[in-house]
Amino acid sequence: MRRSITRTLTAIAAGVVALGMAFAGGATANATPPAKGQSSITINGNGQDLINRTFEAYRVIDITDVATGADGSESYTLEIDSAYRNQVRATAQEVLNTAADATDAAVVNKISGMNADETRSFAEKLVKELDTANQTATVSSDKFGSERMNKQATGLDAGWYLVRETTAASSTPNATTGNAPLSLFMMKGGQNINITVKSDVPTSHKKIVNDDYSNPRDADDFQTNENITYRLTFDIPSNWKTQYKDGFYFTMHDKLSAGLDYVEDPVIKVADNEDSITNAVDWDKSAQGYGYTPEFSKSKDGKTVEWKFATAGTETSDTTNRKANLKLAGKTVVVYYKAKMNASAKIASTGGNGNTYQVYYQHNPGNAADGYDHTTPETPYVYTYQFIVVKQDGDNTDTKLSGAKFKLYSDKSATKEVAVSSLANGVYTVEPSGTAVLTTGTDGKITVNGLDSGTYYLKETKAPSGYKLDDTVRKVTVTPNSEVANAKNGDAITYKVNGDSNHTMTINNYKGSLPSTGGMGIVLMVVAGVLLIAGGMISIMRRRA
């Protein structure tokens, strides 16, 4: 992901030494112009990859002369750069209450005396003024080089610089610039200013957990239509409390694959951090008193679900709720929800069924309409299995038998039936409310999809026409070849059914000497019965005689 830069303004110590500065249009006695092209600005990634991130700088105030006193102190002659004069003066009027007819020297003097809060406000307003005027940066983004961990612009003149990140927002609504200042500082001639990008950025994670929220993992196997509990987290940097002085918003976004269905009744909690999730407090019971309920939404196809934290109400309510979110700075927001695999779920041999989670969050502290950034997407996967029954004539295995009926059980005594529903001729899936009977198709096969790993039991309840019933309770064991929890990126899971890698069980049926349906056997039985009756009657008649 592109890590979000910390946009809290940093007033660098070397840049706020304003006392003793001289403010005049011309050079001061014993003063000399600072060396040109001898300064530089280095942006230090602090371990972060900056290759795809862009920055630019504006030299809004020039240092024209430097004078050294007898005690070694320095004073500077400052002038507003003519390219940005209107924007600097307009910003000073709004933020520092300078008079409209104030001299440039008076304006510069006021700017040089700003405290930290005034510096932040001044920079936020100034960058908006520069964008409104469509001003070109003094140091364009390409001047900061293409290094991965550090970006440096060299050959700069002395002056007051406004440096900001210009990396585009990561997703819609998009923006051409971040409009977010990084630092406002004074840089003397021959000086290098090093700006370190803080690494305290938001992160998000998604795990499969047990019903009691324990045992977080990235992959597991389940039956279809069995509830699966997911845990979504969003770790909010503590510095957002000051970075977003007007509050912030974010959306926890989850996209389910075709084989998964969302199940209602989510639970939202807040933890002190990622390591203390087990002690998380329900959102509406938190002592923090966030004062609103996050908005839940689901797409028409049911495959995209979102929890919106201060982005779905009215302008008034969202403004209030964004400020309430400041209480979340430094904490972890946790959402638990359930989903289940449906009849479209992929069987393990063709890959897992994933749902991708990420958080979209406010791109720009100073402009809520300036698009989103997003955390790195994470996708846990769930798997399910199938087994195939082949019914055939035991004396002629080329003859496959249709019409044989079976029931599937979860216990050896065959009392707990595993309900199924029919998908097609001879194809079924596990469904708790299903009423279908497993029946071999015209090819003599039954395919049962949607099984968890483990042991099942299969029992024939009706034989094919002309064959004896085989009521043996047969064990069906589904065994993955590797630990499912270690599966990554939806990799296929190989497995066996009763040791067979083709997941197939073959069951033979035999024709009987006493067939259960019509034919010559019944005729012979009827004739034999009649003869016995006739013989009995003759014997009785003889006795009477």
Side-chain angles (χ1 to χ4, degrees), residues 451-465:
L451 295 169
D452 195 354
S453 58
T455 300
Y456 301 84
Y457 297 89
L458 188 69
K459 183 178 180 181
E460 185 174 311
T461 59
K462 184 179 179 181
S465 177

Side-chain angles (χ1 to χ4, degrees), residues 2-72:
R2 183 189 70 76
R3 289 185 173 273
S4 173
I5 195 162
T6 300
R7 296 177 172 90
T8 303
L9 269 173
T10 305
I12 296 178
V16 293
V17 182
L19 298 178
M21 291 182 179
F23 307 104
T28 307
N30 300 319
T32 57
K36 288 186 172 294
Q38 299 297 310
S39 301
S40 61
I41 299 171
T42 300
I43 298 176
N44 183 349
N46 195 21
Q48 302 175 57
D49 190 343
L50 302 179
I51 190 65
N52 293 318
R53 297 171 65 173
T54 57
F55 305 86
E56 65 184 14
Y58 298 80
R59 189 179 67 251
V60 293
I61 297 175
D62 301 325
I63 300 177
T64 58
D65 289 299
V66 181
T68 304
D71 59 355

Side-chain angles (χ1 to χ4, degrees), residues 370-436:
D370 191 33
Y372 297 92
D373 277 344
H374 63 76
T375 56
T376 302
E378 288 191 357
T379 306
Y381 290 88
V382 289
Y383 296 85
T384 192
Y385 310 98
Q386 72 174 197
F387 78 84
I388 300 169
V389 175
V390 176
K391 194 69 165 169
Q392 63 187 20
D393 187 311
D395 295 318
N396 181 7
T397 57
D398 290 335
T399 301
K400 308 305 177 185
L401 307 177
S402 63
K405 298 185 183 298
F406 292 85
K407 285 188 177 181
L408 186 66
Y409 300 91
S410 61
D411 63 320
K412 186 176 182 179
S413 57
T415 59
K416 299 177 182 178
E417 185 177 354
V418 177
V420 298
S421 60
S422 177
L423 299 179
N425 179 37
V427 181
Y428 301 85
T429 190
V430 176
E431 167 61 68
S433 60
T435 59

Side-chain angles (χ1 to χ4, degrees), residues 456-477:
Y456 301 84
Y457 297 89
L458 188 69
K459 183 178 180 181
E460 185 174 311
T461 59
K462 184 179 179 181
S465 177
Y467 290 81
K468 290 192 300 183
L469 178 70
D470 179 359
D471 59 359
T472 304
V473 177
R474 300 175 183 275
K475 181 187 290 188
V476 181
T477 302

Side-chain angles (χ1 to χ4, degrees), residues 56-234:
E56 65 184 14
Y58 298 80
R59 189 179 67 251
V60 293
I61 297 175
D62 301 325
I63 300 177
T64 58
D65 289 299
V66 181
T68 304
D71 59 355
S73 62
E74 294 181 335
S75 60
Y76 305 87
T77 301
L78 308 181
E79 293 182 359
I80 301 174
D81 191 285
S82 60
Y84 311 119
R85 183 174 183 273
N86 292 338
Q87 291 77 49
V88 172
R89 290 182 61 87
T91 301
Q93 286 183 51
E94 180 171 332
V95 177
L96 304 176
N97 298 315
T98 57
D101 59 353
T103 64
D104 283 359
V107 171
V108 169
N109 188 39
K110 192 78 170 179
I111 293 171
S112 299
M114 293 187 300
N115 60 33
D117 288 340
E118 289 172 332
T119 301
R120 175 189 175 111
S121 297
F122 187 90
E124 289 176 343
K125 173 61 178 175
L126 179 56
V127 80
K128 292 178 181 178
E129 291 284 344
L130 293 169
D131 282 341
T132 299
N134 198 27
Q135 288 285 18
T136 302
T138 308
V139 184
S140 57
S141 59
D142 62 301
K143 300 298 183 182
F144 276 98
S146 59
E147 290 77 10
R148 302 194 71 91
M149 299 303 177
N150 296 285
K151 289 180 176 287
Q152 185 178 61
T154 60
L156 306 180
D157 295 342
W160 276 72
Y161 282 82
L162 174 71
V163 179
R164 66 168 176 177
E165 181 173 7
T166 56
T167 309
S170 303
S171 59
T172 57
N174 203 359
T176 57
T177 175
N179 289 338
L182 169 64
S183 291
L184 177 65
F185 54 85
M186 189 185 82
M187 183 168 63
K188 298 183 292 184
Q191 184 181 21
N192 175 69
I193 295 295
N194 193 309
I195 302 170
T196 299
V197 177
K198 291 186 178 181
S199 59
D200 192 9
V201 296
T203 57
S204 64
H205 301 287
K206 180 170 186 178
K207 298 291 184 181
I208 302 164
V209 295
N210 295 345
D211 288 342
D212 63 357
Y213 305 152
S214 63
N215 189 26
R217 52 207 186 271
D218 296 319
D220 206 345
D221 46 23
F222 296 86
Q223 288 184 358
T224 53
N225 297 291
E226 176 185 4
N227 281 343
I228 306 161
T229 303
Y230 290 100
R231 186 186 76 189
L232 315 178
T233 61
F234 181 46

